[in-house]
Every structure is written in structure tokens, then in C-alpha cells.
């Protein structure tokens, strides 16, 4: 399968490594900063390979006839780029979060269904051995009736983390601690539980990072359709 990567930043080496390991034909990478793409391809294991480099992903989609595209750009652009890739006929692997709004997420799902393409949000933590074991235990009813669950994420995101890229911590391009760092835990909470979220109450706060727009702390309470309750606590200030 012909593979292309859009976005050659921090997570890009892992996408490229996985593509090669799975036997895909990596034919093109794209980044608005061409030097960023060149640095990616100069990494160990990639030198000497023939891979096209593009600054404009639309041009890449038109020229390369890609079967699979990985989208690893700032979160605010996930939806628009993924929709263009689906329109071009490619299956899409999109970094988390798949979109910053429900309307954009619904549009992506609808487009993939209409075109018979796979749309895969990147939630790799589902494949951790401990998570898989827990999911199987719940699915096989080995833990009995689930009463409640608690998701706690306590990370340290200092000021220099947000200053590494201007899009971080912005509502339009990134979101806050829940949408970015805690999204994996929220995904696992939803995946492992048996019901659907039917009621949510929460609060957000920017406690320690006045230079960002979004929250650095968030808490929530959730009720699922089967009656299970859950709490979410997320902080980047630990």
C-alpha cells in the first residue's frame, strides 16, 4: 500500500517507523517546513530511501495516489486535512484527538462511511498488554458488575513545553489537558466500560499556566447508560 505522512514533527518518527515495519511503501512526507521533513528522512534507517518531500499536502494527494495517509499535524487541523485525504480516496490514520468538535468528528465519520474508507484515530494505548487484559476481563464478565471507575492523570507540563510550539494550549489548535494529554485515558474509560456516557458534569481551570488559553486542570463526573459512575481528574501541574 502506498503511504504518505502529513506532519513531520515530534511524533512523526514513530509513524514512519511503524509504516516501514508493516511493509507499506512509504512514498511521500509533507510538512510546511521542508527542513523538518528532510530532518525526519535523514534519521537512522531512512537515509538512502527514495521518498518525495512536499510542503503542500494537497499537491501530495494529487500527485501520489496514496492508499493510506497518516495525519500528524496540530490538532486544530486534523479534521480539515483528514476530510481532504478521504476525499482523495485514502484510508486515514489521524493523531489524537481526531477533531476538536463533535460536528467535525461526525463529518469525518460520515465521509469515511460514504467512501468506504477506514478512519482510524490513533489511540495506541488500547494495545498495551495490561489494558487488553482488563478489556477482556470486563467483556467476559470476570469482574462482575462494574460499580464505578476513576481516571486520574497527573503530569508535569512546564512553561517550556508550551513554548516549544505556538499552537499548544490554544483553543483553536490544541485544546487543554483533557483534549490533549488526558484524551487517551478518556478513550480507555469509554472503551472498557459497557455503557455509553449519558450524563457529564465538569469544570475547567487554568491554574498554573497563564500564558495559555485552555485549561491546565480539569475534573468531571460521568454517568453511563448501564448505571456505572466515573470520575475524571486531569492536571498538568504536578
Amino acid at each position: 500500500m502506498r503511504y504518505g505522512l502529513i506532519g513531520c514533527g515530534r511524533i512523526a518518527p514513530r509513524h514512519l517507523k511503524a509504516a516501514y515495519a508493516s511493509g507499506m511503501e512509504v512514498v511521500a512526507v509533507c510538512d510546511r517546513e521542508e527542513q523538518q521533513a528532510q530532518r525526519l528522512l535523514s534519521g537512522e534507517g531512512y537515509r538512502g530511501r527514495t521518498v518525495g518531500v512536499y510542503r503542500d499536502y494537497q499537491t501530495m494527494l494529487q500527485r501520489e495516489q496514496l492508499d493510506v495517509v497518516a495525519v500528524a499535524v496540530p490538532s486544530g487541523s486534523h479534521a480539515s486535512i483528514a476530510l481532504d485525504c478521504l476525499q482523495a480516496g485514502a484510508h486515514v490514520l489521524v493523531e489524537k484527538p481526531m477533531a476538536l468538535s463533535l460536528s467535525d468528528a461526525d463529518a469525518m465519520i460520515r465521509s469515511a462511511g460514504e467512501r468506504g474508507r477506514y478512519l482510524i484515530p490513533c489511540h495506541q494505548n488500547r494495545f498495551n498488554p495490561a489494558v487488553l487484559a482488563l478489556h477482556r476481563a470486563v467483556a467476559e464478565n470476570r469482574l462482575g458488575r462494574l460499580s464505578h471507575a476513576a481516571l486520574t492523570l497527573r503530569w508535569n507540563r512546564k512553561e517550556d513545553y508550551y513554548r516549544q510550539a505556538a499552537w499548544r494550549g490554544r483553543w483553536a489548535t490544541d485544546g487543554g489537558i483533557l483534549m490533549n494529554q488526558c484524551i487517551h485515558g478518556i478513550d480507555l474509560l469509554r472503551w472498557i466500560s459497557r455503557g455509553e456516557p449519558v450524563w457529564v458534569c465538569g469544570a475547567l481551570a487554568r491554574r498554573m499556566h497563564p500564558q495559555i488559553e485552555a485549561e491546565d486542570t480539569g475534573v468531571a463526573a460521568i454517568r453511563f447508560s448501564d448505571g456505572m459512575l466515573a470520575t475524571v481528574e486531569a492536571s498538568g501541574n504536578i
Side-chain angles (χ1 to χ4, degrees):
M1 300 186 76
R2 293 173 60 82
Y3 171 97
L5 172 64
I6 302 175
C8 298
R10 185 178 183 183
I11 199 64
R14 295 191 180 186
H15 281 279
L16 206 58
K17 181 179 180 180
Y20 280 120
S22 63
M24 292 190 184
E25 181 188 0
V26 178
V27 297
V29 299
C30 177
D31 197 285
R32 289 184 298 179
E33 300 292 335
E34 186 174 339
Q35 290 182 341
Q36 186 100 321
Q38 296 290 0
R39 280 195 297 269
L40 174 65
L41 295 175
S42 67
E44 185 176 352
Y46 309 137
R47 289 187 292 270
R49 297 178 182 267
T50 302
V51 179
V53 174
Y54 292 86
R55 294 183 61 189
D56 175 27
Y57 77 90
Q58 294 278 21
T59 302
M60 183 182 80
L61 293 175
Q62 293 168 6
R63 292 181 180 176
E64 297 293 353
Q65 297 182 328
L66 299 167
D67 299 303
V68 180
V69 179
V71 179
V73 299
S75 303
S77 299
H78 286 179
S80 60
I81 293 178
L83 286 168
D84 287 339
C85 293
L86 291 166
Q87 177 70 35
H91 302 290
V92 176
L93 173 66
V94 59
E95 263 296 336
K96 58 80 183 174
M98 64 180 285
L100 293 185
S101 71
L102 285 175
S103 59
D104 280 346
D106 288 340
M108 294 162 69
I109 294 169
R110 184 168 56 251
S111 179
E114 291 171 351
R115 291 169 173 79
R117 302 292 91 181
Y118 288 111
L119 171 66
I120 307 171
C122 192
H123 286 294
Q124 71 278 4
N125 288 350
R126 289 190 182 192
F127 299 95
N128 292 348
V131 171
L132 287 171
L134 177 58
H135 185 267
R136 284 195 297 268
V138 172
E140 295 168 3
N141 203 32
R142 286 188 276 129
L143 301 181
R145 184 182 181 187
L146 298 182
S147 168
H148 62 282
L151 165 60
T152 301
L153 182 137
R154 296 172 178 173
W155 284 7
N156 187 330
R157 286 292 181 261
K158 296 182 179 180
E159 182 176 347
D160 60 354
Y161 167 81
Y162 291 102
R163 296 199 182 282
Q164 287 176 5
W167 59 271
R168 288 181 177 168
R170 304 298 174 186
W171 286 120
T173 53
D174 185 29
I177 189 74
L178 292 178
M179 185 65 83
N180 193 324
Q181 286 81 23
C182 197
I183 194 70
H184 287 299
I186 294 171
D187 172 67
L188 294 182
L189 181 64
R190 164 62 187 81
W191 188 53
I192 292 171
S193 67
R194 292 182 170 183
E196 295 289 342
V198 295
W199 179 88
V200 178
C201 177
L204 306 176
R206 188 172 61 249
R207 298 292 296 164
M208 301 296 179
H209 295 92
Q211 75 277 14
I212 69 174
E213 294 178 348
E215 84 282 355
D216 58 20
T217 305
V219 295
I222 306 170
R223 182 187 298 275
F224 287 85
S225 56
D226 62 353
M228 189 186 86
L229 302 176
T231 60
V232 175
E233 173 202 348
S235 173
N237 305 323
I238 303 304

